[in-house]
Amino acid sequence: MKRIIIICLLCTAILCACQPTPEVDAVKQKDTNVLIDTVIKEEEERIDIQKQAGEAVSTPTPVKEQVPERFQCDFTTNDGSKIEGDVRIRVLTDGVFPMLRVERRSVTDAERLTLAQRLLHTENLYIYQDVLDRRSVEDMIRGLMDEPTFEQYRKDYGMSTATEEDYEEFITYRREQRAYWQEYFRNMPEDGSAMPFQKWDGAAPTGETTFLHIVTESEGRTNIGFQPNIIVFRDGSSRVMAYTEPQSDRKKNADAFGFNLTGKPGVERIEPEDYDVIHDGATVAPRAAADAVLPIFDGIVDLCVDDIYWSNNADTDGDGAGVVGTYGYLVRLTPIYDGSATPYINVHGIHPDRDEIESEYAPEWDYESVIAAVSTEGRLLSLSWYGTSKVTETIAESTPLLPFDEIMRLFEQQMNRQLYGSGSKVSVTGVKLGLFRIREKNSMETGLMVPAWIFGGTYYGADGDHRELSPLCVINAIDGSIIDAHKGY
């Protein structure tokens, strides 16, 4: 039986002596080269020791045997915030964690096309366009023929810092658009009937077009919301692709984003040991819901189940707040790298410091995941695929991990810093140890996959504020540094 470690509340004198100044930010840009050197050196030393002892070179003890089964805490921060939790620790590997170098990757046209064909169950797909009459197209062409001067471009288009090169790119794009619509107009039927849609070859949108609607019919005037369709986003977008089945009733809108709002009434996380148990209100088990999603990505990305929730489509604000139209399963999938999984992270890793990146524009690079809504009968309702990465180098096949006692100390220290002055309560709802991407200094295109402790929790503020924190805290399992998931380091 593994030991269960409990954080005990230390006396005030000891706490005051060891706690950091709350105003000092614990998150700093790491020198990833130092981290790499540390991992490589320890791995080399471990191998040398085994060789000198005449032993066969073997991997270290599996991570699951290095940590306790459960995380338990019950303590109060220096200024009175309450932290408590009693949850199972989920280790996202059966062996040891590697250190990997990764970089952003673009999805290929063939991959996009394959996914769309699997989702829409046909090989023939088309780019949907709003049906336009001849007069509307004429007006569009006329507007594109009126080209602004460089000064007008900077003033009227809100581009005060634009260069001559930016202006030339803008004018080139307008002329390409004008040529497209002139050709479109020449081919329009004189009788005003609908133009057939262009067949889609899997290409992402370009230019100023941010997304495309992909449909199964070559023509038609049916509202896009009432037919099966896929949205394909251009490279660099936070989402790669999204699918939604036809929606004829707004109350039953089953967009995966709505189901993914898990901090609301009626939503519950399902424990992995219950994946074969049919939930009340459903006719299939959670595992069947996951099986409705996983095969779609076969041969494109290696995914595994991170979490499954019993959820609903209720909004959390606005006129529809709290109004449930339909229930179903929310399935969260994350990628596997060299046998180790990454946890689901519900934030963007897209906020570099201005002094680190020369350009003010930094392309989004989400932590890769797929979220999907599946009906109570096991039918895929919708899904969204976020972020893409590829491994370019295995830096180390195994990484050293700080003792769990040290991680617990760092967690308590960070809670003192993070909740300073809030007078709040936090309930720790999940603890995972898995691979986490940290970006390399001065780069938004490359990063390192390192083992990290990811804590999730529910925040109860003194002012009545109640929200899910995913993540609550992320700690680098190698060196104990605090990671800001928003900044990506």
Side-chain angles (χ1 to χ4, degrees):
M1 177 68 68
K2 297 180 184 176
R3 60 195 174 95
I4 295 179
I5 299 181
I6 303 175
I7 299 180
C8 297
L9 178 60
L10 303 178
C11 66
T12 303
I14 296 177
L15 275 173
C16 291
C18 70
Q19 294 302 334
T21 305
E23 292 82 355
V24 176
D25 189 358
V27 178
K28 304 295 181 185
Q29 172 67 80
K30 287 79 177 171
D31 187 335
T32 48
N33 289 329
V34 172
L35 189 64
I36 290 171
D37 290 343
T38 299
V39 171
I40 292 176
K41 181 179 179 181
E42 178 142 341
E43 186 171 42
E44 289 175 345
E45 290 177 349
R46 177 182 60 79
I47 292 173
D48 286 342
I49 291 173
Q50 289 179 327
K51 288 181 176 179
Q52 290 173 11
E55 301 173 355
V57 176
S58 61
T59 56
T61 303
V63 175
K64 288 182 179 179
E65 297 180 22
Q66 299 181 42
V67 301
E69 291 180 345
R70 301 189 69 81
F71 169 92
Q72 292 183 320
C73 71
D74 186 355
F75 66 94
T76 303
T77 63
N78 291 346
D79 66 338
S81 292
K82 181 73 172 176
I83 318 293
E84 60 183 22
D86 184 355
V87 294
R88 176 180 299 175
I89 295 174
R90 296 180 60 193
V91 178
L92 306 185
T93 183
D94 289 329
V96 295
F97 289 110
M99 174 184 276
L100 309 169
R101 177 169 279 114
V102 295
E103 66 179 30
R104 182 204 307 273
R105 82 171 179 97
S106 295
V107 178
T108 67
D109 293 355
E111 288 172 331
R112 271 188 292 265
L113 186 61
T114 297
L115 280 173
Q117 289 171 339
R118 290 173 179 174
L119 287 163
L120 297 178
H121 308 291
T122 180
E123 292 187 357
N124 298 315
L125 300 173
Y126 304 89
I127 301 173
Y128 177 89
Q129 284 186 314
D130 292 329
V131 178
L132 302 172
D133 58 26
R134 293 176 67 85
R135 183 170 182 176
S136 297
V137 178
E138 284 179 335
D139 290 342
M140 194 179 306
I141 294 170
R142 192 174 296 111
L144 290 168
M145 291 179 70
D146 183 16
E147 296 182 351
T149 64
F150 177 51
E151 289 71 22
Q152 289 173 328
Y153 170 65
R154 297 185 70 171
K155 179 181 178 181
D156 298 342
Y157 288 80
M159 304 296 290
S160 59
T161 60
T163 64
E164 289 277 2
E165 185 179 354
D166 295 330
Y167 171 70
E168 290 300 328
E169 289 181 1
F170 171 76
I171 292 299
T172 298
Y173 174 74
R174 282 178 66 91
R175 290 172 181 170
E176 290 172 351
Q177 286 291 294
R178 186 175 70 206
Y180 170 83
W181 287 111
Q182 286 172 333
E183 181 67 18
Y184 185 94
F185 182 81
R186 283 191 287 270
N187 293 321
M188 291 184 75
E190 293 288 345
D191 61 4
S193 59
M195 280 280 289
F197 298 148
Q198 176 185 347
K199 193 167 183 179
W200 183 59
D201 61 3
T206 57
E208 294 187 359
T209 304
T210 57
F211 63 87
L212 300 172
H213 279 291
I214 307 302
V215 295
T216 60
E217 300 295 331
S218 62
E219 59 182 35
R221 298 175 181 269
T222 306
N223 183 291
I224 190 67
F226 299 140
Q227 59 182 305
N229 73 93
I230 286 171
I231 304 176
V232 176
F233 300 88
R234 67 180 179 182
D235 287 339
S237 299
S238 61
R239 282 196 288 181
V240 179
M241 182 180 288
Y243 161 79
T244 305
E245 72 165 14
Q247 302 295 312
S248 59
D249 183 348
R250 189 177 185 280
K251 291 182 180 179
K252 293 185 178 181
N253 177 29
D255 186 89
F257 178 81
F259 275 75
N260 199 44
L261 300 173
T262 53
K264 57 188 178 183
V267 176
E268 60 180 284
R269 178 182 169 275
I270 300 171
E271 294 294 338
E273 56 265 31
D274 293 329
Y275 282 177
D276 292 314
V277 178
I278 297 175
H279 196 281
D280 290 342
T283 59
V284 299
R287 195 176 305 280
D291 290 341
V293 188
L294 283 165
I296 296 169
F297 292 86
D298 282 351
I300 296 173
V301 58
D302 191 7
L303 298 171
C304 66
V305 174
D306 181 69
D307 269 320
I308 302 179
Y309 286 78
W310 177 251
S311 189
N312 60 62
N313 69 335
D315 293 333
T316 55
D317 54 22
D319 295 338
V323 179
V324 177
T326 186
Y327 272 91
Y329 292 112
L330 164 69
V331 180
R332 289 174 173 173
L333 307 177
T334 54
I336 303 171
Y337 299 100
D338 287 8
S340 298
T342 61
Y344 176 78
I345 302 293
N346 194 22
V347 297
H348 303 300
I350 57 172
H351 300 288
D353 296 332
R354 288 286 177 85
D355 60 351
E356 295 179 75
I357 307 295
E358 290 183 6
S359 170
E360 293 185 3
Y361 170 71
E364 299 172 340
W365 189 13
D366 282 17
Y367 301 102
E368 188 167 6
S369 65
V370 172
I371 58 171
V374 179
S375 75
T376 56
E377 301 85 22
R379 184 180 77 258
L380 177 63
L381 301 174
S382 60
L383 67 77
S384 286
W385 181 18
Y386 294 84
T388 47
S389 304
K390 66 177 180 180
V391 175
T392 59
E393 181 185 0
T394 299
I395 296 171
E397 294 182 355
S398 65
T399 54
L401 303 180
L402 288 176
F404 187 69
D405 290 359
E406 177 66 7
I407 297 299
M408 297 292 273
R409 185 190 69 80
L410 292 167
F411 174 75
E412 181 176 351
Q413 186 180 79
Q414 179 61 12
M415 290 301 96
N416 266 278
R417 178 184 288 110
Q418 193 167 312
L419 302 176
Y420 179 73
S422 66
S424 60
K425 175 185 175 182
V426 169
S427 175
V428 178
T429 55
V431 177
K432 299 174 185 176
L433 176 55
L435 285 180
F436 189 94
R437 191 191 76 222
I438 58 173
R439 64 185 181 89
E440 296 191 88
K441 194 168 185 177
N442 299 326
S443 174
M444 281 297 291
E445 303 294 328
T446 63
L448 298 179
M449 283 290 183
V450 300
W453 289 91
I454 296 90
F455 298 83
T458 303
Y459 174 89
Y460 303 90
D463 58 356
D465 183 19
H466 171 205
R467 50 197 162 91
E468 182 185 35
L469 299 176
S470 177
L472 164 66
C473 174
V474 181
I475 301 175
N476 188 320
I478 299 172
D479 64 5
S481 57
I482 302 299
I483 298 172
D484 185 324
H486 288 277
K487 292 181 178 179
Y489 61 75

